[in-house]
Amino acid sequence: MKRSAETMGAAQSRDSASQPGVASEPEDDFFPFPLEILEEIFLNLPPIQVVHICRLVCHRWKEVSDSESLWRERCRRERYRLRDASKMPDDWRLFYFLCKKRRNLLKNPSGEHKMKNWQIIERGGDNWRIEGLMVPHPNEAVQNNFVTSYQMCKKSQLIDLAAEGYSPLFMDHFQPDIRISDWYAPRYDCGSEYEIHVELLTQKKKPVKTFAPETVSFEQWNDQKWNQMTHAFQNYGPGVRYVRFTHGGKDTQFWAGWYGIRVTDSCVEVCPAVDT
């Protein structure tokens, strides 16, 4: 799909610039071809190279590198789609890079590696345990879950955003959405409780924003289906450097063993606002 020089926000054409008495910019001769060709070349280069190298070459290259059409087309080719087509991003380049970097920042979210990466906050009753699923999870890749006991069990992870590639300058300037998700389910034959507490923290680990919904309770003889808890932190202000994710629960009948709430497939993502 061709994009005209006008669409790309190009500078004055070489024809007009080459007329007598009209001074031409030396940089205009650096790549004397239609801008759609230059854009196509940029689309086949690594995106970081386009931002950090190509856009610094000259004014024309910068305009192509910064153009909406370039990043919108790159999103289309790499299949980064909007969940709601009626909500367009204000910055397609930012949307692209957030989509490209988007991943689960929690390690070992479903117990594939036992309790690795999790800090045990409370280990009541018979402590935590990892088991296979009692009922299938909506995500077929999930095959295990963490199980709580007859007194409160809680575990936590602290996510260092800078270590994950989200610099302080980026977080303060763009304040991208931080989306959390957690799956939990009771046993059908035992009552249980589920809790979650997620904080956005400063460099000194001081809370900026907190998500702490009321405890979810289940009666005995329930349908033991999986439930999802979700939340998106938005417009949280500058200073966010860490995310602390804590969850857990217990059974309510004090049975020895592991009859409490089950949790798995937990997730913390930094993502575009239009995609939450």
Side-chain angles (χ1 to χ4, degrees), residues 222-240:
N222 55 74
D223 59 12
Q224 71 178 13
K225 71 177 182 179
W226 287 102
N227 301 271
Q228 186 181 27
M229 181 69 72
T230 63
H231 179 72
F233 291 99
Q234 299 175 314
N235 303 317
Y236 39 79
V240 173

Side-chain angles (χ1 to χ4, degrees), residues 103-120:
R103 66 197 186 282
N104 188 358
L105 301 180
L106 289 175
K107 308 297 190 297
N108 189 27
S110 303
E112 304 91 338
H113 306 290
K114 305 302 180 182
M115 299 302 298
K116 184 179 180 180
N117 301 115
W118 290 99
Q119 178 186 6
I120 305 302

Side-chain angles (χ1 to χ4, degrees), residues 39 43 47 63 95 97 100 116 145 162 212 219 222 226 268:
E39 180 177 307
L43 286 167
E63 290 201 11
F95 177 79
F97 279 107
K100 194 169 187 67
K116 184 179 180 180
N145 51 220
E219 300 293 333
N222 55 74
W226 287 102
V268 174

